[in-house]
Amino acid sequence: MASTKDAREATMVGRRTDGTPVRRPLSPHLQVYDMMQITSGLSIANRATGIAWTVGLLFLVWWLVAAAAGPRAFAAAQWFFSSFLGILILFGMTAVAWFHTLGGVRHLMWDAGYGYDLPTTYRTGRAVLIGTAVLTVLTWFIVIIAWG
């Protein structure tokens, strides 16, 4: 293999299982993507909502452990989730749930081979955003009616 001229090229060099050298493709980094482009923005947001789901699971585990630990621990968890910050977190997790679910359905369509043309990609991207907003508000409308 030729010597590298740029330090970044060193990460592109690898070896096959038989030991022969091979050049790996360089994956584009965030500087390449236009964040105002709906496809890039939604792709990154889908990954971010996956991380947010993980954080939400920690809150769910806390609530379940508190429920199992007894009335005092459960009351403390309930107090937190009924506070302004708790409701804000629950509202955010509702939006995360809907966005990640609708984005997942969009990806399943792509996996099936549908929706690759640019107009459909933009249309389904807008549908994910609008669907997230509408379903989040609808969910909380139902929660408030059931709560009160």
Side-chain angles (χ1 to χ4, degrees):
M1 274 206 164
S3 65
T4 59
K5 296 180 179 105
D6 188 342
R8 292 174 294 179
E9 289 184 29
T11 61
M12 295 172 52
V13 177
R15 295 205 175 267
R16 290 193 176 107
T17 54
D18 65 358
T20 58
V22 63
R23 291 182 57 81
R24 288 183 240 152
L26 241 173
S27 180
H29 200 269
L30 292 177
Q31 297 94 333
V32 176
Y33 297 109
D34 176 10
M35 295 305 155
M36 297 307 290
Q37 185 181 21
I38 195 166
T39 52
S40 298
L42 290 180
S43 176
I44 292 166
N46 200 43
R47 288 165 175 79
T49 57
I51 294 167
W53 260 125
T54 304
V55 173
L57 284 176
L58 295 174
F59 283 109
L60 176 63
V61 168
W62 172 39
W63 185 76
L64 290 171
V65 168
R72 192 171 172 172
F74 187 67
Q78 287 293 89
W79 172 85
F80 175 78
F81 286 114
S82 63
S83 71
F84 178 75
L85 180 61
I87 291 173
L88 193 63
I89 288 170
L90 290 172
F91 185 85
M93 291 310 302
T94 306
V96 162
W98 283 120
F99 182 87
H100 203 70
T101 300
L102 295 174
V105 169
R106 185 176 183 227
H107 278 268
L108 285 173
M109 281 179 34
W110 290 343
D111 290 344
Y114 302 107
Y116 281 115
D117 60 294
L118 209 50
T120 304
T121 302
Y122 277 79
R123 192 170 41 253
T124 58
R126 285 189 293 273
V128 166
L129 292 173
I130 293 167
T132 298
V134 169
L135 290 170
T136 300
V137 169
L138 181 63
T139 300
W140 275 86
F141 182 72
I142 292 168
V143 165
I144 289 169
I145 288 173
W147 214 337

